[in-house]
Each structure stands twice: as structure tokens, then as C-alpha cells.
């Protein structure tokens, strides 16, 4: 996101941190709830409906719905869609990859995360891209220390992604998060100059959400809906996102799932059977 709110205090008290932890925990629970449904035959709109119902049944608020006019609860970005894919009624099919991006407001605090899922048997290239993107997220997280620069994150991610031959998306970044969806600091996934002046003090909460393209990094927004972002060259794109709290002891991942891939794992296709 490029326009970030400036007025929000960045250094969070222990009470604030508990609020963010609860939001991250619920958001991760929502991801685990959706996980078995992300299979061939399901439509992104069905996933969207499931996410809306689960969120509101638990008394929480879908953050994307109505955000700057966004029409749905979740973002579903399939194949060459980089991010902000609007859920549609096209069933997922074997060989697709889909990023599911979830954001929830829990007692005024935001939790934000995404995963890219492999639908059934995918090409080796799709698997390698998704695996590399998953590992790139953790390269970014492990580059974080208290009072490090934001640039350390982008440096780690870009170095890793480039070695694999992938383009790192520049137009969309991670972001500070708290009582607002998107706030300072911006977290670019490449080492830009300005991020070398921004320090991650304990009490800062932010997302890391690298988008890697199998081809070149450039993207374009679909002019029909003004949301859907695709790779310019039509290549596949993958993304993973966590919400991170910088503590006095290092980064704390607030959106860890129970059932999803854990740090060091190989990302694999959902074990759930395809829906006929
Ligand atoms: N969840 C996305 C992010 O990681 C933002 C989606 S904004 C929406 O920042 F309006 F498209 F939902
Ligand atoms: Co985000
Ligand atoms: Co997100």
C-alpha cells in the first residue's frame, strides 16, 4: 500500500500488544478454518462467503469489506494475479496457485496475513515459486532485530529472490499495522534508499508480505475493476504475509497458524480431496 496514515503512535504498550496478539491469533484461526476448503472445484466467492460468516459469527469485523470501496471480505489472487484479486465464481482447478489474503479487526486491532496454496498437482515451476516465496518471507522475518533498519528486510528478500531468478514486486509493500490497516512504516521488499532511514524500534507492528514473480517485477492494475493486480508479463506470482511485532527480544510473529506450513517446511498441496 502506498498511502499510509501518519498520525498513529508506533510504539505500542503491553496492553496494545495484547490487542494485536488477539487480532493476529483470530486471523490465523480464520486461515486454518478456510484451509481445507481451498481445493479444486471451490470458487473464490465461496471462500469469501465462508470467511465472512466465520468472522462475523465470532463477533469480529472483516477489514477489507468496504475498505476504499473494496467489495469483499478476502482477496483471492490466482496464478498471474499478484494481489488484490476480487473473489469471483470461477472454480479453482488442478494446477492453479491461489493467494488467500485475510484481514480482520478484533476489538479495534488489525491482523493481516496471506498464504499461497497449491491446488492439486502443480507444475514444478509453480511449486518452486511458491516455496521460494514462503522462504523469502522468513528471510525477511529473520533479518529483523530490535532497532534494525527497515531496509534489512528488503535486502534479505531481494537477494534471496534474485538468486532464484524471480522478480520482486515493488509497487506493493508491507506496512505498519495497528488500529489502522495501513500505517507507517512502509516495508518495501527490496532495499530502497528511504527504508535505510527507518528504524524498527521495539513496539512497532508491521507486515512483511513479499510478492515474487516467476518473470519480471512489473505489474499492472486491471482497468475494469481497478483492484486486480497482475504481472505485466503474464508470469505466475506468489505471496506470503505475516503480521510481526518487534519486541525487545526480536520479532514475534502474530499470525502463526496451527495447520499451515511452518518455518523450514516444504509447502505442499492441500491433502483435502478435490470437490466434485
Ligand atoms: N490485505 C492486503 C494487505 O496485505 C490489503 C488488501 S486491501 C483490499 O495489505 F482492499 F484490497 F482488501
Ligand atoms: Co498487508
Ligand atoms: Co494482507
Amino acid at each position: 500500500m502506498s498511502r499510509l496514515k501518519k498520525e498513529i503512535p508506533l510504539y505500542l504498550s503491553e496492553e496494545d500488544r495484547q490487542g494485536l496478539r488477539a487480532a493476529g491469533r483470530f486471523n490465523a484461526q480464520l486461515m486454518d478454518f478456510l484451509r481445507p476448503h481451498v481445493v479444486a472445484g471451490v470458487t473464490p466467492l465461496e471462500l469469501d462467503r465462508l470467511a465472512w460468516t466465520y468472522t462475523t459469527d465470532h463477533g469480529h469485523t472483516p477489514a477489507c469489506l468496504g475498505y476504499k470501496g473494496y467489495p469483499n471480505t478476502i482477496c483471492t489472487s490466482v496464478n498471474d494475479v499478484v494481489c488484490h484479486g476480487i473473489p469471483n465464481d470461477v472454480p479453482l482447478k488442478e494446477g492453479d496457485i491461489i493467494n488467500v489474503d485475510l484481514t480482520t479487526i478484533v476489538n479495534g486491532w488489525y491482523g493481516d496475513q496471506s498464504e499461497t496454496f497449491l491446488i492439486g498437482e502443480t507444475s514444478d515451476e509453480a511449486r518452486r515459486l511458491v516455496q521460494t516465496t514462503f522462504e523469502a518471507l522468513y528471510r525477511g522475518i529473520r533479518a529483523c532485530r530490535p532497532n534494525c533498519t527497515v531496509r534489512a528486510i528488503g535486502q534479505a528478500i531481494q537477494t534471496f529472490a534474485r538468486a532464484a531468478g524471480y522478480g520482486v514486486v515493488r509497487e506493493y509493500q508491507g506496512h505498519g499495522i495497528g488500529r489502522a490497516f495501513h500505517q507507517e512504516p512502509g516495508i518495501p521488499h527490496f532495499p530502497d534508499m528511504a527504508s535505510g532511514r527507518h528504524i524498527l524500534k521495539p513496539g512497532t507492528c508491521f507486515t512483511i508480505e513479499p510478492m515474487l514473480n516467476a518473470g519480471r517485477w512489473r505489474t499492472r492494475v486491471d482497468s475494469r475493476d481497478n483492484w486486480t493486480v497482475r504481472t505485466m508479463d503474464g508470469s505466475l506470482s506468489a505471496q506470503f504475509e505475516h503480521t510481526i511485532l518487534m519486541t525487545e527480544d526480536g520479532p514475534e510473529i502474530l499470525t502463526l497458524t496451527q495447520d499451515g506450513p511452518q518455518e523450514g517446511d516444504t509447502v505442499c498441496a492441500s491433502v483435502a480431496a478435490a470437490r466434485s
Side-chain angles (χ1 to χ4, degrees), residues 5-196:
K5 291 195 181 173
K6 294 198 181 198
E7 71 272 21
I8 313 293
L10 288 176
Y11 311 117
L12 300 158
S13 65
E14 189 49 41
E15 195 185 338
D16 293 345
R17 296 180 193 196
Q18 290 303 349
L20 274 159
R21 287 187 179 108
R25 208 177 305 122
F26 176 77
N27 206 64
Q29 192 183 314
L30 172 60
M31 187 66 86
D32 280 329
F33 165 72
L34 286 179
R35 184 178 312 287
H37 298 280
V38 187
V39 293
V42 81
T43 72
L45 264 176
E46 288 169 336
L47 298 175
D48 186 76
R49 172 55 52 178
L50 286 167
W52 184 87
T53 304
Y54 188 88
T55 303
T56 56
D57 279 356
H58 284 79
H60 304 314
T61 307
C64 293
L65 189 60
Y67 177 78
K68 296 183 178 171
Y70 188 76
N72 288 85
T73 295
I74 66 176
C75 296
T76 51
S77 301
V78 178
N79 296 336
D80 66 326
V81 178
V82 173
C83 62
H84 304 167
I86 297 177
N88 61 18
D89 58 6
V90 180
L92 297 177
K93 57 181 194 310
E94 177 112 358
D96 283 343
I97 62 172
I98 179 176
N99 177 270
V100 177
D101 195 335
L102 309 176
T103 314
T104 311
I105 312 170
V106 174
N107 294 324
W109 296 99
Y110 285 70
D112 185 10
Q113 75 196 107
S114 81
E115 285 181 26
T116 298
F117 294 84
L118 302 164
I119 304 301
E121 267 307 305
T122 56
S123 67
D124 290 348
E125 179 52 28
R127 263 204 309 279
R128 189 175 78 93
L129 174 67
V130 172
Q131 182 66 32
T132 303
T133 309
F134 178 65
E135 289 175 22
L137 168 60
Y138 278 94
R139 294 289 172 127
I141 294 170
R142 295 307 161 210
C144 290
R145 297 309 307 161
N147 303 307
C148 73
T149 65
V150 168
R151 195 171 197 267
I153 298 171
Q155 182 69 258
I157 290 173
Q158 179 171 281
T159 301
F160 182 68
R162 279 201 173 158
Y166 295 139
V168 179
V169 170
R170 294 179 167 233
E171 299 96 322
Y172 305 89
Q173 311 186 343
H175 47 91
I177 186 167
R179 287 189 176 279
F181 196 162
H182 298 106
Q183 64 188 40
E184 294 200 336
I187 312 286
H189 304 109
F190 63 98
D192 84 337
M193 285 307 241
S195 66

